Amino acid sequence: MKPKILCISFSDINADSRVLRQLNVLAEFGDVTTLSYGTKPAAAAEHLAIDTDLPSLPQTPLGVLKLALHLHAGSELSAPAVKAARPLVEGRSFDLIVANETRALPLAHLLSDEGNKAPIWGDMHEWAPEERTQVASWRILVKPLMKYICQKYIAKTSAISSVNGSIAKLYDENYGSHSVVVRNAGTFQELEPSPVNPDRIRLVHSGAAVPGRNLEGIIEAVRLLGDAYSLDLYLIKARDGGRYWDQLKSLTAGMDQVTFHDAVAPQELSATLNEYDLGIYTLPPKTVNQQLMLPNKFFDFIQARLGVVFGPSPETSAIIREYELGVIAEDFTPEALAAAISSASADDVRGFKANAHAAARALSSDQDVEVQRTLVKGLLTR
């Protein structure tokens, strides 16, 4: 009989590249039940849907009061989405429980304790205590809860993973874990670099249309570059009815070189981006996660065989230098991004794309899949 695995994610897994890759690995080892927003992912044997309108943090009047009073023991399971998720799996036993991000850890441990003491893999993704500390309300109310959950649960979670070595080190040093690194690298794609037109360098950015991602700065950099460059944006609309997406569009009024596209499915993204030349991004480091970012989009650009131009973030800069993938801006301003882009000649761009092609296997998820397989195999044989 196949092992029974529960995968908890307070996201829409079908739009979450990292969890989709994780789910594919889990499905190699057993029948996976997903507990998340959205519809059933292809690799899941069973799906338990959480209403997408329910927040995964205690965003109710009583919940906010508890956060303000630092009543964290009474807050960790009180988010509307968590309260809705609990009865969907109550009374069931699993051989392995996977908790994606810190907010899923209390539910995972509760279910393990109430069931058959299943081992728990906590995929923390990024550094939870400072997920959104650029937002004052999050910093004041939610950060203490995240620190409480980490302090209470990480040391007794069977396995911990995160997106890069710098963030793994933070978990190990602060919470006594022995983290492994599972990067946000995508599946290897059988693609070739597309030709470069020296008269029009095609820039592209993909990601979420949510405030705080510095998309305004990217648009301003393209405004500074002028008509010799175009920018295409493939953006996932936020859960705000598309209001922020519309605000971004209004910023580009009169800019014929900027085109907005609906988001494409994660498995189609690299092939869609392949027609472009340079993947671009810069994010001022207002939080630890922003300082240490190594996002999905970086690896998506490589699989699409693009050169890259990024801000001077240490994790991305190290890889760009190692594989000679593109240009690193001097700082995080729109002016520095524009200067970095314009410093690359058409021949440079061709070289960056060729280097991305050569590095695509090393920077694919192959390595990360093996890390996950080893981890899951070890947990299931305990």
Side-chain angles (χ1 to χ4, degrees), residues 7 50 74 87-88 106 108 113 140-141 168 236 257 269-270 291 296 370:
C7 177
I50 304 168
L88 297 177
D113 291 343
I140 294 166
L141 295 172
I236 300 169
Q257 70 266 47
L269 186 58
S270 290
Q291 177 189 355
N296 282 321
E370 289 307 316

Side-chain angles (χ1 to χ4, degrees), residues 321-337:
R321 291 191 182 102
E322 180 179 357
Y323 294 99
E324 299 182 357
L325 297 171
V327 184
I328 300 165
E330 288 190 3
D331 58 44
F332 296 96
T333 62
E335 292 79 9
L337 179 60

Side-chain angles (χ1 to χ4, degrees), residues 3-207:
K4 295 180 180 178
I5 302 171
L6 176 65
C7 177
I8 307 171
S9 181
F10 292 106
S11 68
D12 180 349
I13 294 179
N14 286 304
D16 191 327
S17 300
R18 181 178 180 86
V19 184
L20 278 176
R21 291 190 294 269
Q22 176 195 99
L23 182 56
N24 288 335
V25 173
L26 294 174
E28 295 178 14
F29 292 88
D31 289 329
V32 185
T33 297
T34 46
L35 178 61
S36 76
Y37 300 128
T39 57
K40 178 179 174 293
E46 179 186 18
H47 179 63
L48 305 173
I50 304 168
D51 186 340
T52 56
D53 292 331
L54 298 177
S56 58
L57 291 171
Q59 294 169 231
T60 64
L62 179 59
V64 171
L65 177 62
K66 287 181 178 180
L67 291 177
L69 296 175
H70 286 201
L71 300 176
H72 296 136
S75 300
E76 61 182 18
L77 291 164
S78 67
V82 177
K83 292 172 73 172
R86 186 173 174 179
L88 297 177
V89 284
E90 210 158 26
R92 300 173 61 168
S93 292
F94 297 92
D95 300 297
L96 172 64
I97 298 174
V98 183
N100 280 282
E101 302 188 277
T102 301
R103 65 194 68 194
L105 276 179
L107 178 60
H109 279 272
L110 176 69
L111 296 174
S112 176
D113 291 343
E114 291 180 345
N116 58 348
K117 302 293 183 182
I120 297 168
W121 168 16
D123 186 3
M124 298 295 93
H125 298 212
E126 298 184 340
W127 178 235
E130 298 200 34
E131 182 184 338
R132 295 189 64 207
T133 47
Q134 74 274 21
V135 179
S137 59
W138 202 100
R139 183 171 63 252
I140 294 166
L141 295 172
V142 182
K143 178 178 178 177
L145 174 64
M146 293 296 106
K147 293 177 70 174
Y148 168 85
I149 293 173
C150 288
Q151 190 68 51
K152 181 175 179 179
Y153 291 108
I154 282 182
K156 59 182 182 180
T157 299
S158 309
I160 295 291
S161 58
S162 58
V163 297
N164 61 50
S166 297
I167 291 176
K169 185 178 179 181
L170 286 174
Y171 281 110
D172 294 350
E173 290 178 347
N174 286 275
Y175 300 114
S177 59
H178 300 282
S179 305
V180 298
V181 173
V182 177
R183 304 171 303 178
N184 280 330
T187 306
F188 178 77
Q189 302 291 316
E190 294 284 358
L191 295 168
E192 296 284 336
S194 58
V196 176
N197 176 0
D199 297 325
R200 183 95 160 176
I201 300 299
R202 303 194 66 188
L203 312 174
V204 70
H205 175 88
S206 59

